[in-house]
Amino acid sequence: MLIQKRYNEIREEIQQGDIIAFSGKGHVSELIKLFTLSPVSHVAIVMRGKQLTSEGVLITVNNIIESTTMDGFAGVVVNRLSKRLKHYDGRVWWLPLSDTTRQKIDFEIFYDWLTNQKRKLYDSWQAIGAGFDFIPENREDFDK
């Protein structure tokens, strides 16, 4: 069942590892949705983080790690979820992990791997190839 809510209503419920799915309105997003037959153009993973406020108080924030094009860089970046949603032109879904799935994940190992992906460049050819899994020469390359 889908329930429509604003970010400030669910912010405290979002947990590490949850998926945020985006449906962009740009040309690339529309092509992705067309070829994948999906309303989703890309996804991000929630990474909880700590941040100091201007008053010097340490708070927990919802960050996301995603591969996107922003501010002249195309690749893997970490963004504050609230800031990303504020400026996003499109639809967004929160996909929480089930408790069963969450119990199977070693988040320390998972976040170490994710952190090592930061600032890797976006690989357009590999992304296109991922949409066409029937191409036998399409091999994953984790350098990009």
Side-chain angles (χ1 to χ4, degrees):
M1 171 174 40
L2 291 176
I3 301 169
Q4 187 173 358
K5 291 192 175 186
R6 297 200 175 279
Y7 175 67
N8 63 350
E9 296 174 297
I10 61 169
R11 178 178 49 222
E12 299 301 322
E13 297 174 52
I14 296 173
Q15 298 181 48
Q16 63 181 2
D18 287 349
I19 307 297
I20 306 297
F22 294 86
S23 181
K25 295 181 179 179
H27 297 304
V28 173
S29 293
E30 292 299 336
L31 282 173
I32 291 168
K33 293 185 291 186
L34 175 69
F35 283 106
T36 60
L37 303 176
S38 170
V40 175
S41 56
H42 87 277
V43 297
I45 298 172
V46 175
M47 297 175 65
R48 299 300 294 264
K50 301 286 185 187
Q51 183 174 342
L52 277 176
T53 65
S54 57
E55 295 83 25
V57 177
L58 191 64
I59 60 169
T60 301
V61 295
N62 289 322
N63 291 323
I64 55 171
I65 187 164
E66 61 183 327
S67 184
T68 190
T69 301
M70 289 184 84
D71 303 325
F73 178 77
V76 181
V77 293
V78 173
N79 287 304
R80 185 91 180 261
L81 180 55
S82 58
K83 180 180 176 186
R84 187 73 166 100
L85 295 175
K86 183 177 181 179
H87 300 288
Y88 190 72
D89 183 25
R91 295 183 298 166
V92 180
W93 297 273
W94 166 44
L95 307 170
L97 296 178
S98 69
D99 290 335
T100 303
T101 300
R102 194 173 301 288
Q103 290 171 3
K104 295 177 183 178
I105 298 174
D106 183 328
F107 280 101
E108 186 174 336
I109 292 171
F110 183 52
Y111 280 155
D112 282 346
W113 186 85
L114 285 176
T115 300
N116 286 323
Q117 307 315 302
K118 284 180 10 182
R119 302 301 294 171
K120 284 189 179 180
L121 298 176
Y122 189 78
D123 186 343
S124 299
W125 290 112
Q126 190 171 190
I128 291 167
F132 298 100
D133 271 344
F134 58 85
I135 301 172
E137 302 86 41
N138 187 34
R139 306 236 191 297
E140 290 177 341
D141 177 2
F142 289 113
D143 289 336
K144 288 188 175 183

